[in-house]
C-alpha cells in the first residue's frame, strides 16, 4: 500500500502544487483533504501555467483520479469555473473527478459575511482572503451547514436553505448594518450544482476501496502547519486542519492506512497576512527576496512577507506531522545571497524556549537565534537536476537542515518548472517514483 500525505511545514505557499504534480504520475489517486478556494496551487508544465484552487493538481495527469474530500469546503460556482477553465485548456475531468457528498458548501452569503467581519476587525484583521472559508466552517461546526449531498435533492435543499437564508439576512443587518437579501442565492447555487452533480459520490468509500485494492493514494493538504486551526499561530490561522492528521478526517481513512508524511519547506520562510513571524526580514531585504522569489499569492496576488529559514518552526512541524521526508523548494532564490541566516532556536525574554508559544502575543517577545552560513552567489542552481551539480555551499546548507531536523531531504526544487527538480538516490521519494 503506497499512501503519502503532503503537508506544508511553514505558513503555506511552500510549493506543494509543484511537488504534488511531480509525484502525481506515480500515484493512482490524488485526494485534497482540507481548505477551500483560498488555496491556490501553481503548476508550470512547459510554457503552460495552471493555477488550481479546489481540484487536486493530479488532474493535470491524464490517467490519475482527483478527489475532493469531506474536509474541503466548496464554492460550487468557483468549482464550475475551474472545471470550465481546465476544459478550455483541453483537460477533461469526466470519470476522473470525484467530489465528496459530505463536503460542505460555500454560499455567496459566506463571502459577504466574511468581508464584513474582517472589515469590522479594523487594525486587528486576521488576513482572511474573504472568500467565505471561515464562515462556511463556522456553519459546519454549528451544524447548520449545507452539503454536496443536499444538492442532489433540490426540494429538500430549498427547504433547508430557506431557514439558513432568513438567519443570514438577520445576521447581516444586526451585526453589520447591511440590508442584504440572500434569497436569490439558493437557485443560483442549485444551477451550479446541476453542473457538478455527476461527480458527487462517497469519496471515503472510493479511497478506502482503492487502498484495499492495492491502489496508491497521494493526500494533498492545503495551507501549512503554522496555519492549522489547532496547532498554528492562533488566531492568525486558517479554519481547517492543515496538518497530516487532517488527511484521516478530511477524506475518511484510518490512520494506519497512511504510511508516510512528506513535508514541504521553502529554503527561506514566508507568510501572508497578519500574525507572528519571528524570522521576518527588514523591508529592504524582504523586497529583494520577494522580487527574486516572485512571492505573491497565486490566488489573491497579495505580496508575501519574507524571512530567513526557521528551523525551530520546522522542528515543531516535523513533530506535529510525523514528517519522514522533507522537500526544500526555491533553493535557487538564494543564488545571489552572500550569507544566509538560519534560525536555530528562540529566546523568550532572554530564556531559551523548548516549546512553540501557544499565545500569539508571546511571539512579540520572541528573539530568534541565528547561525550564519555562506551563500553560493558565484554559482547558479536554477534548473539543476542532479545533486552532484549543486555548488558545495548549497549542499552544505541542505545538509545543515537535514542534520538539525534529523530528517532526509527527499527532494530539492530549483525552479518552478516540473523538471527543475532533484530527487537524491536512496531517499523515500526515490523509492516512490
Amino acid at each position: 500500500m503506497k499512501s503519502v500525505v503532503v503537508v506544508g511545514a511553514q505558513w503555506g505557499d511552500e510549493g506543494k502544487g509543484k511537488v504534488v504534480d511531480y509525484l502525481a504520475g506515480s500515484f493512482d489517486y490524488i485526494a485534497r483533504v482540507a481548505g477551500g478556494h483560498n488555496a491556490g496551487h501553481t503548476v508550470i508544465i512547459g510554457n503552460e501555467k495552471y493555477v488550481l484552487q479546489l481540484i487536486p493538481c493530479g488532474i493535470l495527469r491524464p490517467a490519475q483520479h482527483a478527489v475532493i474530500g469531506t474536509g474541503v469546503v466548496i464554492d460550487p460556482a468557483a468549482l464550475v469555473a475551474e472545471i470550465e477553465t481546465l476544459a478550455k485548456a483541453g483537460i477533461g475531468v469526466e470519470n476522473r473527478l470525484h467530489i465528496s457528498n459530505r463536503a460542505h458548501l460555500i454560499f455567496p452569503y459566506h463571502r459577504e459575511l466574511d468581508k464584513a467581519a474582517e472589515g469590522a476587525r479594523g487594525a486587528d484583521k486576521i488576513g482572511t482572503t474573504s472568500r467565505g472559508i471561515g464562515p462556511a466552517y463556522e456553519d459546519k461546526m454549528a451544524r447548520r451547514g449545507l452539503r454536496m449531498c443536499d444538492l442532489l435533492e433540490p426540494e429538500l435543499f430549498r427547504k433547508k436553505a430557506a431557514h439558513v437564508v432568513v438567519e443570514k439576512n438577520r445576521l447581516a443587518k444586526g451585526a453589520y448594518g447591511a440590508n442584504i437579501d440572500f434569497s436569490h442565492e439558493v437557485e443560483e447555487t442549485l444551477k451550479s450544482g446541476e453542473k457538478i452533480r455527476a461527480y458527487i459520490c462517497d469519496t471515503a468509500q472510493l479511497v478506502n476501496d482503492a487502498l484495499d485494492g492495492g491502489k496508491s493514494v497521494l493526500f494533498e493538504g492545503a495551507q501549512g502547519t503554522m496555519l492549522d486551526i489547532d496547532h498554528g499561530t492562533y488566531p492568525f490561522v486558517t479554519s481547517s486542519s492543515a496538518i497530516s492528521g487532517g488527511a484521516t478526517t478530511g477524506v475518511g481513512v484510518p490512520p494506519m492506512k497512511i504510511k508516510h508524511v512528506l513535508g514541504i519547506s521553502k529554503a527561506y520562510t514566508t507568510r501572508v497576512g497578519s500574525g507572528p513571524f519571528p524570522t521576518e526580514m527588514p523591508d529592504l531585504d524582504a523586497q529583494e527576496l520577494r522580487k527574486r522569489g516572485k512571492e505573491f499569492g497565486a490566488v489573491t496576488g497579495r505580496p508575501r512577507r519574507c524571512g530567513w529559514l526557521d528551523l525551530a518552526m520546522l522542528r515543531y512541524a516535523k513533530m506535529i506531522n510525523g514528517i519522514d521526508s522533507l522537500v526544500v523548494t526555491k533553493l535557487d532564490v538564494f543564488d545571489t545571497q552572500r550569507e544566509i541566516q538560519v534560525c536555530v532556536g528562540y529566546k523568550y525574554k532572554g530564556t531559551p524556549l523548548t516549546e512553540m508559544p501557544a499565545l500569539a502575543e508571546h511571539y512579540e517577545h520572541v528573539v530568534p537565534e541565528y547561525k550564519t552560513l555562506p551563500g553560493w552567489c558565484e554559482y547558479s542552481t536554477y534548473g539543476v537536476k542532479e545533486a552532484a551539480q549543486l555548488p558545495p555551499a548549497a549542499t552544505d546548507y541542505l545538509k545543515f537542515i537535514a542534520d538539525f531536523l534529523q530528517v532526509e531531504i527527499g527532494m530539492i526544487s530549483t525552479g518552478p518548472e516540473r523538471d527543475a527538480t532533484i530527487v537524491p538516490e536512496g531517499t523515500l521519494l526515490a523509492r516512490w517514483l
Side-chain angles (χ1 to χ4, degrees), residues 186-205:
V186 176
E187 295 303 320
E188 291 176 6
T189 302
L190 277 172
K191 286 180 181 178
S192 296
E194 282 298 314
K195 297 179 181 180
I196 56 178
R197 64 182 298 145
Y199 311 116
I200 301 172
C201 65
D202 187 336
T203 53
Q205 187 74 54

Side-chain angles (χ1 to χ4, degrees), residues 391-405:
T395 300
D396 291 344
Y397 182 63
L398 295 168
K399 186 177 185 303
F400 184 85
I401 296 169
D403 289 347
F404 185 93
L405 298 175

Side-chain angles (χ1 to χ4, degrees), residues 156-171:
L156 183 60
F157 180 85
R158 289 186 179 98
K159 183 178 179 180
K160 289 182 177 181
H163 293 293
V164 178
V165 164
V166 170
E167 179 182 319
K168 299 304 179 185
N169 289 342
R170 290 173 180 166
L171 177 60

Side-chain angles (χ1 to χ4, degrees), residues 203-384:
T203 53
Q205 187 74 54
L206 177 77
V207 173
N208 278 283
D209 285 349
L211 288 169
D212 293 342
K215 300 293 184 181
S216 54
V217 180
L218 187 64
F219 298 89
E220 177 183 0
Q223 285 89 35
T225 299
M226 300 308 291
L227 291 176
D228 183 88
I229 185 65
D230 293 307
H231 302 285
T233 48
Y234 188 90
F236 302 97
V237 293
T238 191
S239 304
S240 59
S241 179
I243 64 170
S244 60
T248 62
T249 55
V251 175
V253 295
M256 68 282 294
K257 285 187 178 180
I258 295 175
K259 301 303 180 182
H260 295 288
V261 180
L262 179 65
I264 318 292
S265 168
K266 287 176 181 170
Y268 47 95
T269 309
T270 65
R271 80 168 296 170
V272 173
S274 306
F277 191 173
T279 64
E280 187 166 14
M281 292 174 171
D283 286 345
L284 288 177
D285 292 334
Q287 287 176 18
E288 181 62 26
L289 188 65
R290 188 181 300 118
K291 180 180 177 182
R292 294 200 305 268
K294 297 181 174 59
E295 294 295 351
F296 299 89
V299 173
T300 64
R302 291 188 296 179
R304 297 175 185 140
R305 298 159 63 191
C306 298
W308 300 110
L309 186 66
D310 189 337
L311 291 182
M313 181 174 71
L314 289 181
R315 181 170 52 196
Y316 174 75
K318 179 195 171 187
M319 176 186 73
I320 291 295
N321 291 292
I323 294 170
D324 50 13
S325 187
L326 185 71
V327 176
V328 176
T329 63
K330 295 201 171 186
L331 183 69
D332 56 293
V333 176
F334 269 159
D335 282 353
T336 60
Q337 200 76 39
R338 293 191 175 277
E339 290 186 336
I340 300 171
Q341 305 279 2
V342 184
C343 172
V344 295
Y346 295 157
K347 283 188 176 180
Y348 176 73
K349 296 183 177 180
T351 302
L353 285 178
T354 57
E355 300 174 353
M356 292 296 286
L359 280 171
E361 290 81 359
H362 282 183
Y363 283 91
E364 297 174 9
H365 305 285
V366 164
V367 176
E369 295 182 283
Y370 288 110
K371 181 174 178 61
T372 302
L373 299 177
W376 51 90
C377 56
E378 68 273 25
Y379 298 95
S380 172
T381 64
Y382 187 86
V384 170

